[in-house]
Structure formats: structure tokens, C-alpha cells
Amino acid sequence: MTQVILDKIQKVYSGGDVAAVDDFSLEIPTGKLVAFLGPSGCGKTTTLKMIAGLIQPTTGRILFDGEDVLPIPAEKRGAVMVFQNYLLFPYMSVGDNVGFGLKMRGVHKRVIAERVAEMLALVKLPDIAKRRPTQLSGGQQQRVALARALITEPRVLLLDEPLSNLDAHLRDEMRDLILSIQRDLAVTTVFVTHDQEEAVLLADQIALMFDGLLLQYASPAEFYQRPISERAARFFGGVNFIPARRENGMVRTDIGDFHFAAQEGERAPTGTAVMTIRPEQIRLNDSAENNLIKGRIRERIYVGTYTRYKITLGDHEIEAIRSADLPGAIGVGDEVDVHFPADRIWVVPA
């Protein structure tokens, strides 16, 4: 198990004048699974390749258990990368593909055969060692690529968009497998994704990146409950944003003034800000002493287990989600009491 520290990493490609990754610092705890999340082109894969040693940073340090690994070549660094397109050798059998890393180290054939069998069993493909990669499905090839990476007992496992080439059913299976193996082996793991749901389901911590910069590094729950900015909140499904001013314990908006229970980690400055609250945290026709305003249902979308409402509040429109199990039908055109719980309001910089 290995702790990884990225210390003010920057990467400017030759001929470029804009950093692909800039001033990137974070700590990946020993044995944890961390997601690099963000839109295409934000620097996620570049950062992953710098950890692997496939790309050298322009400035900064990369530490494994306190040791600067930049002078160490990729093949000796102990960070193994599983690529998005698998990169299996088509002319080799599955067994030879999985055992390739050990063969390059001069490990005895008998030991390689034993370890290959262990790895294929680990990824739940125990009987395919003699097949060729071209005889496998995409999901099976991804598992073989994972087995090939794990057989060398890496200090750090790096996964580049590991689920992007799979259909929905296989994606769920592969996600569960990655999580199970990572927990069993306790190998420090970093994976790249642009899928917010995938990051939330897999990661202990998420590094949200935009334009080569680290915007927020936190647990999945914090991104939902305590986004650092409107941009972070929107990336995690936030839809309710109302211009506001924060004054003492109140949030003042043009639809009303709201009591506000400042939470630990609150970053919003006093003064101009944006008030946000997640749709599932708004209460409709709920009895409350404060933070209760009148609204009118503009649209109702039934989803089965819940109903999504679009509600007009003065010149603003918000969304609320209500469980289908709650009594009392609410229809389009109905006037409703909209309750913003004080401990669910979050205020971010404008």
C-alpha cells in the first residue's frame, strides 16, 4: 500500500503556452480509491500519465511514501496503468498477456502459470487462459487488462476511463468487480472518469478538475452537501441557484429572506453570493415556522419512485423532488408551500 502526493504539479506541452495541468496538489491516502473527475480536456489523463511516469511534469513533485519518484523510470516506479482501449497483445493467448509482466522480470514459468491462474480467478475469468483477446467480449478484455496490471503487485493502480467502452449492464458488473478487488487488495487506486455517478459509486475521494486546475477535492457526500462553487454544484446535478446576499445568519433574495444554518466548511463570503439547495431537500406543503414561501407548479414529471416538479417562485423557477409514497396529489397549476430547510441551504460565492 502506498501514499501518493502530488506537489504543485504543472504540465506544459512542447509548443504550448497554456498549461494542460497547473498547480495541482493533493494527497491520495494509502489504500484508497480516488477519482479524477471532469469534462474532456481538463487534464485528468495527463495527470494520471504523470503519476505512471509516462509523461514528465514541467514542474512539481510526485511522491510515493515520501520518496520523489520523478527520477525513477516508468517500468520501475510500481505504478501500473490500465488504458481505456485495453492494449492487449492480439497474437498472444490470454494467459501470456496476463503473465507478460512477470515474464519480463524473469520469473519462472511455473510461478507465472500459478499467478496467471490466480489473477484470472480474481477477475472471474478462470477458464480462458488459452483463448486469444479477439475471442473475448469488451468486458472480458477489460478484465484481462486488469488482471495483467494486478499480477505485478503494483504499488499504485491507475485506471483510465475503465468503464467507458462497456454497455450499461457490463459497466455495472465491472464497477462492482473493480470495487471488490480494490477493497480486497487494498491497493492505492486512481481512476479517470467524466461520469459523476461513476465517481460517486466508486471513489473514496473525488478530485474535480476544470481547465487543468483542481477545483475541489473531497468525499462524494461533500460534493452534494458542500460544493465549493456553483460550477461544482452544477456538475453534481445542482439546478437551483438564486442570487443572494448573505448577512449575518440570513440569506436575502428577491423571493424572500431565509434563515441559514452555516455549516462547518462554509466558504461563502458575507455579501454577494448564490443560494443553492438540492431538489430532493426541498419540502412541499410542509409545515414550518420559517423559510416557507408560496410557489406554483409549472410542470410535473412522474418518474415512478418519485415525482419531479418545476415550481415558479416570483421571477425564478426551481426544481423539487417528492417521493411517490407521500400522500396528497400535487398537480400542474396548484399553489404549494415551498419549504427551504435552513440546514440544507448552501451558499457559494457568486
Side-chain angles (χ1 to χ4, degrees), residues 41 85 106 110 119 157 185 202 208 261 271 281 284 291 315 329 336:
N85 55 357
R110 179 181 55 80
M119 288 300 103
L157 177 64
L185 301 181
L202 276 172
L208 180 61
Q281 294 170 340
L284 301 182
N291 290 7
D315 293 331
V336 291

Side-chain angles (χ1 to χ4, degrees), residues 55 103 303 331:
I55 295 175
K103 182 180 179 181
V303 189

